[in-house]
Amino acid sequence: MAEAHQAVAFSFQITHNGLEVDFDHEVLSSIWHSGTHSIIKHCQRHWHDLVAGLYPLQPYTLALFIFASLILKNVGLDPSFGLIAFIDHHVPLEYLAPSLALYLSCVLYGFLAWIGLILFIRYSLKILFLYKAWMYEPRGKISVTTRIWMALVQLLKGHNPRLCSYQGSLPNLPVPKLEDTLRRFLLTVRPILNDEQYSELEKLAAEFQQGVGKRMQRYLRLKSWWATNYVSRSKSLVRSLLDCYLFQLLVARFHNQTYASAAGIRQ
């Protein structure tokens, strides 16, 4: 009870003299520092997500785009090829002065050009990352195509990447064929079923393939066009399962090699 009483940072009691309030400044200070530390970590996490989401460009480059569009427009050059005038004409800015409306149009154009460049670099990297021929080339011999691919990736990859900076540039997961999925499913359950159960499951798989399976496969392909992970909403699910299977494989191989080495020593 004494320890519980000491852990209370704020307490009060009513006496004959009135209301008595007691503060534990040490505990309140600890709570304050813990809260501020949590807020700082939360802000840092959001800033990291923002920087990773804008990669390969940095947030400060937005100011460079806006400043460049304003300077070029003031010297008589139009970097937007008419887009700034189009924005100035169609965006409702009549209540502003003409010069201020033009500046706001330049700011909006700089922002759109900045976002467009980020998307262009991201999708260019996504297309480049689809190239896999470099994995099958002999060691020490690099083809001209691979050299060009390496130069383009080096040009677009940016500088000082953070964790998950290339997450938006990775190619989408390929959608397996429905026939292959059902074949692997039947192959997996065959050892635990008898002939009658397996025959019934084959019929159900054939009905699924000819019926609702086709419609679900079409929905899955549509989802894979815009979703980076069409399997589930949680990106960690497939990764955790793959890590589990890989760990089991490594452990199994390790034990096999250990037993083989022990058997060789005894012989």
Side-chain angles (χ1 to χ4, degrees):
M1 294 296 293
E3 294 177 355
H5 180 71
Q6 292 177 359
V8 178
F10 171 79
S11 63
F12 67 91
Q13 59 182 352
I14 300 176
T15 63
H16 296 287
N17 298 327
L19 182 64
E20 294 184 359
V21 181
D22 183 22
F23 295 94
D24 192 335
H25 296 282
E26 184 178 356
V27 176
L28 290 177
S29 177
S30 177
I31 294 174
W32 171 261
H33 288 299
S34 176
T36 54
H37 180 74
S38 177
I39 293 174
I40 292 174
K41 287 294 184 182
H42 192 70
C43 295
Q44 289 177 348
R45 188 180 303 111
H46 281 289
W47 176 254
H48 172 79
D49 294 339
L50 175 64
V51 173
L54 298 176
Y55 195 81
L57 297 184
Q58 299 295 330
Y60 69 86
T61 55
L62 174 60
L64 298 179
F65 271 77
I66 295 175
F67 183 74
S69 62
L70 290 172
I71 293 297
L72 292 176
K73 192 64 178 177
N74 287 330
V75 299
L77 299 177
D78 188 6
S80 64
F81 300 99
L83 184 57
I84 294 178
F86 178 83
I87 295 174
D88 190 19
H89 180 72
H90 288 83
V91 175
L93 299 174
E94 297 85 1
Y95 56 90
L96 298 176
S99 59
L100 183 58
L102 182 61
Y103 288 154
L104 291 179
S105 300
C106 292
V107 170
L108 183 57
Y109 165 75
F111 176 76
L112 294 177
W114 184 63
I115 295 296
L117 182 60
I118 291 175
L119 295 177
F120 172 77
I121 295 176
R122 277 195 170 190
Y123 281 96
S124 299
L125 286 174
K126 182 174 290 191
I127 295 174
L128 290 173
F129 288 155
L130 292 174
Y131 177 74
K132 302 180 179 63
W134 60 272
M135 295 187 295
Y136 305 101
E137 294 182 355
R139 186 175 182 180
K141 297 181 180 179
I142 303 178
S143 62
V144 178
T145 305
T146 302
R147 292 181 184 274
I148 296 175
W149 173 80
M150 293 172 61
L152 292 175
V153 172
Q154 188 72 19
L155 179 65
L156 298 176
K157 71 180 184 65
H159 302 283
N160 300 325
R162 299 191 178 192
L163 182 64
C164 300
S165 292
Y166 293 104
Q167 191 66 31
S169 302
L170 296 178
N172 294 342
L173 296 174
V175 180
K177 295 182 179 180
L178 180 60
E179 298 81 3
D180 297 338
T181 302
L182 293 176
R183 178 180 55 81
R184 288 193 295 267
F185 168 71
L186 294 175
L187 184 64
T188 303
V189 300
R190 182 64 183 95
I192 61 175
L193 298 178
N194 54 36
D195 294 340
E196 183 179 355
Q197 293 174 337
Y198 182 75
S199 178
E200 182 179 357
L201 192 61
E202 278 185 327
K203 295 179 181 179
L204 293 175
E207 294 178 1
F208 177 80
Q209 180 178 351
Q210 298 300 327
V212 68
K214 288 185 176 181
R215 185 171 69 253
M216 295 179 66
Q217 186 74 0
R218 288 195 295 267
Y219 293 159
L220 198 61
R221 287 198 182 97
L222 290 175
K223 183 180 179 181
S224 66
W225 288 353
W226 69 81
T228 56
N229 182 14
Y230 63 86
V231 180
S232 65
R233 295 182 180 179
S234 176
K235 296 183 180 180
S236 61
L237 176 62
V238 178
R239 183 171 61 250
S240 61
L241 291 178
L242 291 177
D243 292 344
C244 178
Y245 293 144
L246 180 61
F247 178 75
Q248 292 179 356
L249 179 61
L250 292 175
V251 171
R253 289 186 176 181
F254 176 78
H255 285 305
N256 291 338
Q257 293 176 359
T258 303
Y259 295 154
S261 300
I265 293 173
R266 290 187 177 182
Q267 290 179 357

